[in-house]
Amino acid sequence: MNQSKPLKPLQTLATAAMLLALGLVLPFFTGQIPQIGKMLCPMHLPVLLCGFLCGWKYGLAVGLILPPLRFVLFGMPPLFPAGTAMAFELAAYGFLAGFLYARSRWQCVAALYRCLITAMLGGRAVWAVAQVILSGVSGQAFTWQMFLSGAFLTAIPGIVLQLVLIPVAMVALDRTGLVCFRRSGKAVPMV
């Protein structure tokens, strides 16, 4: 009897739980640097990794749960509107990273970057839509300048960090054999 089959879902669940826990504590480390702490986007890294490592379902779940859970446990980020918009943004990150990468024709560094950049842009677009809706509910304006500033200009250190650390982590996991890049020409079927 093959023992690795039943362990796969358990390993995936454990990995997702570990990345959720990392997302809860990572902001404590970056928060010690007030000038750039929020600009590093510390909760984005574990969610993107969860999408790549565990798949879109776990990535979406971890992204959606992380901001409200962190608010309940530690009081940050404020649940409305920042935490709610961030929950939708992170859910989009996890979903897009996992969905696109699993369906890539090849799973290599180039495909990883394509999926990562697409997930980052898609997540920021979802964040903007959520901010517009939540701002409308609260009676505040959400301008184009606010979008550019919040999604791109103040997040430049976090964007650079994501573009460097996530591929480095995935290549390291590939070299250890824990995650294997797939170089075949066959795409994974839609599930």
Side-chain angles (χ1 to χ4, degrees), residues 4-89:
S4 64
K5 267 293 194 206
L7 292 178
K8 182 65 173 149
L10 185 59
Q11 289 171 336
T12 304
L13 184 62
T15 302
M18 180 191 67
L19 290 167
L20 178 66
L22 184 63
L24 290 172
V25 299
L26 203 54
F28 288 122
F29 297 109
T30 61
Q32 303 304 315
I33 314 165
Q35 295 83 4
I36 62 166
K38 282 203 281 188
M39 294 169 34
L40 292 175
C41 308
M43 290 195 293
H44 295 65
L45 290 167
V47 172
L48 286 164
L49 275 173
C50 186
F52 286 122
L53 296 174
C54 303
W56 68 268
K57 293 174 186 175
Y58 288 98
L60 184 134
V62 168
L64 194 61
I65 293 169
L66 186 56
L69 182 60
R70 193 161 196 294
F71 172 76
V72 168
L73 294 174
F74 307 116
M76 289 300 288
L79 195 55
F80 188 82
T84 304
M86 186 183 286
F88 287 111
E89 174 189 16

